[in-house]
Amino acid sequence: MNPHEKTLDVNHVYFAAALRPNRSLSPTGFHILMFVAAGGALCIGIAFLVIGAWPVLGFGGVEILFLYVAFRVNYRTGRAYEKLCLTRDALEITRVSPYGNAQKSTMEPSWLQVLIDEPPLHHSKLRLRSHGKSLIIGTFLTPEERLEVAIALRKALYDWQSR
């Protein structure tokens, strides 16, 4: 190991979480949905082709293409995530975009405030504030999940202050 390499002391990690967007349809479910939708569109298109309304078949194909593209875009945005890690020295927030670009922020835990409306509403934001610096996290989570993260992070901060 390189002596200049910074290592994380796992004995002093008070909180670690990876926040990921919810996706209601698994890849297998997506394939089943596409198969059923394409089959349905093909059956309807053939029925209209038989009665002479042949353009309906093409429009059905376009609908399936739009459905496929919409789901692919949805899955791409689902690759974004945020990692939180509270250690003795700092709270590190790493945001990873759907394209893999990472952006790191560090906050001093001594003055860290975890703010959220209680009970959380749909538009409630989970805000971290320390030394005039403010950061909103977990925008892709449900209000209940944001509250759950806030409670867990507050508990970890309490443990951190009680060390």
Side-chain angles (χ1 to χ4, degrees), residues 5-72:
E5 192 174 301
K6 191 175 181 180
T7 60
L8 183 64
D9 185 0
V10 291
N11 294 327
H12 293 94
V13 173
Y14 294 90
F15 181 80
L19 309 179
R20 297 187 180 277
N22 296 311
R23 291 296 173 251
S24 59
L25 193 60
S26 69
T28 303
F30 168 70
H31 289 106
I32 292 169
L33 174 73
M34 289 305 300
F35 179 75
V36 170
L42 184 63
C43 290
I44 292 169
I46 289 173
F48 276 92
L49 180 66
V50 168
I51 63 170
W54 56 268
V56 174
L57 185 62
F59 284 111
V62 170
E63 284 180 345
I64 298 305
L65 178 65
F66 283 153
L67 181 66
Y68 176 80
V69 169
F71 269 98
R72 297 310 302 166

